[in-house]
Amino acid sequence: NAGVMQNPRHLVRRRGQEARLRCSPMKGHSHVYWYRQLPEEGLKFMVYLQKENIIDESGMPKERFSAEFPKEGPSILRIQQVVRGDSAAYFCASSPFPGQGALGYTFGSGTRLTVV
Amino acid sequence: QQPVQSPQAVILREGEDAVINCSSSKALYSVHWYRQKHGEAPVFLMILLKGGEQKGHEKISASFNEKKQQSSLYLTASQLSYSGTYFCGTIQSERGGSNYKLTFGKGTLLTVNP
């Protein structure tokens, strides 16, 4: 059981470039959640996806940010034209169907994005 | 709606007890508790689904008062390994809904000293 896999662990981008963050959920998990965390701050919800569907994107900026979770392959968080304020740790979590049973969400190790 | 956690920070000596509180202004489906150590991913501790439910994990337990939409995390006889930031996360009740978005509080920094 490999857990939630995120890559890359560290990503450096120049202002104006694109950042692509990948998240492979645990085996058997079909729900994925993305969070952003600034240093010494909490976990800010961004987007909640199920296979091929966006369930809730209320925490994601309307511009430059997008997320997908295709039928095959990992979930992708894409940030276009990055700015210094995008520098943060981005965590992905996954769960099986959350409406059944007392199951927590499993987090990946995160991607630390630095915009220079 | 972000849950409210208190206190923001706690400093303990090994062996002492602590309580961390979490409250919401919205009706809740569940409350989660996680611990995050510096530079690491949050780790799931426990989930509470029913009002008045209390669960335990080693010397860490939690309760959930469904009527007040409040949860408390109890750490007894603290150990050095308990140090970290504790987050409560809540999922709101939605009539007929299927949105299981987990929203976190701002966290409580717990420091256990020898």
Side-chain angles (χ1 to χ4, degrees):
Chain A
N1 194 345
V4 178
M5 305 299 292
Q6 286 190 251
N7 64 80
R9 288 294 302 274
H10 300 274
L11 181 62
V12 179
R13 283 287 177 265
R14 294 187 182 279
R15 280 177 293 171
Q17 290 185 319
E18 178 180 288
R20 279 188 178 232
L21 287 62
R22 295 175 187 77
C23 169
S24 295
M26 282 185 68
K27 188 176 181 180
H29 287 192
S30 57
H31 295 247
V32 165
Y33 316 82
W34 285 93
Y35 292 86
R36 177 163 68 179
Q37 187 174 40
L38 293 169
E40 311 307 322
E41 292 194 8
L43 296 152
K44 184 175 182 297
F45 169 81
M46 297 184 74
V47 63
Y48 164 25
L49 309 107
Q50 199 180 343
K51 283 284 188 181
E52 299 184 277
N53 288 309
I54 295 176
I55 306 298
D56 188 321
E57 56 183 345
S58 59
M60 202 149 70
K62 293 282 188 286
E63 296 178 356
R64 301 190 299 108
F65 285 73
S66 62
E68 62 176 6
F69 187 17
K71 188 176 180 181
E72 302 290 337
S75 174
I76 305 287
L77 180 67
R78 183 181 176 207
I79 311 173
Q80 295 178 290
Q81 299 175 326
V82 296
V83 300
R84 288 226 172 101
D86 296 332
S87 295
Y90 292 83
F91 287 98
C92 161
S94 74
S95 74
F97 175 54
Q100 282 181 337
L103 300 170
Y105 296 3
T106 304
F107 279 80
S109 297
T111 294
R112 275 78 180 166
L113 172 66
T114 303
V115 180
V116 297
Chain B
Q1 189 83 16
Q2 183 178 40
V4 177
Q5 274 186 248
S6 63
Q8 287 186 317
V10 183
I11 300 175
L12 300 175
R13 289 204 178 277
E14 215 173 350
E16 291 182 337
D17 302 340
V19 180
I20 300 172
N21 299 303
C22 176
S23 64
S24 173
S25 59
K26 301 285 188 182
L28 297 178
Y29 170 78
S30 65
V31 178
H32 295 217
W33 286 96
Y34 292 77
R35 177 172 60 208
Q36 184 180 32
K37 293 183 181 285
H38 187 70
E40 300 182 7
V43 173
F44 172 71
L45 294 176
M46 65 190 75
I47 181 174
L48 300 108
L49 290 172
K50 298 177 183 175
E53 184 175 359
Q54 189 150 353
K55 301 190 86 171
H57 177 81
E58 297 177 345
K59 292 179 181 176
I60 301 174
S61 62
S63 63
F64 176 29
N65 185 322
E66 191 174 3
K67 285 185 180 178
K68 293 185 177 181
Q69 306 306 324
Q70 292 175 349
S71 179
S72 294
L73 186 71
Y74 306 94
L75 301 104
T76 57
S78 59
Q79 305 168 16
L80 296 176
S81 62
Y82 286 4
S83 292
T85 301
Y86 288 78
F87 291 99
C88 77
T90 56
I91 297 176
Q92 293 180 15
S93 293
E94 285 191 351
R95 189 173 296 176
S98 59
N99 187 342
Y100 297 96
K101 173 177 76 174
L102 182 64
T103 303
F104 288 96
K106 292 187 176 180
T108 296
L109 177 61
L110 179 74
T111 305
V112 181
N113 294 319

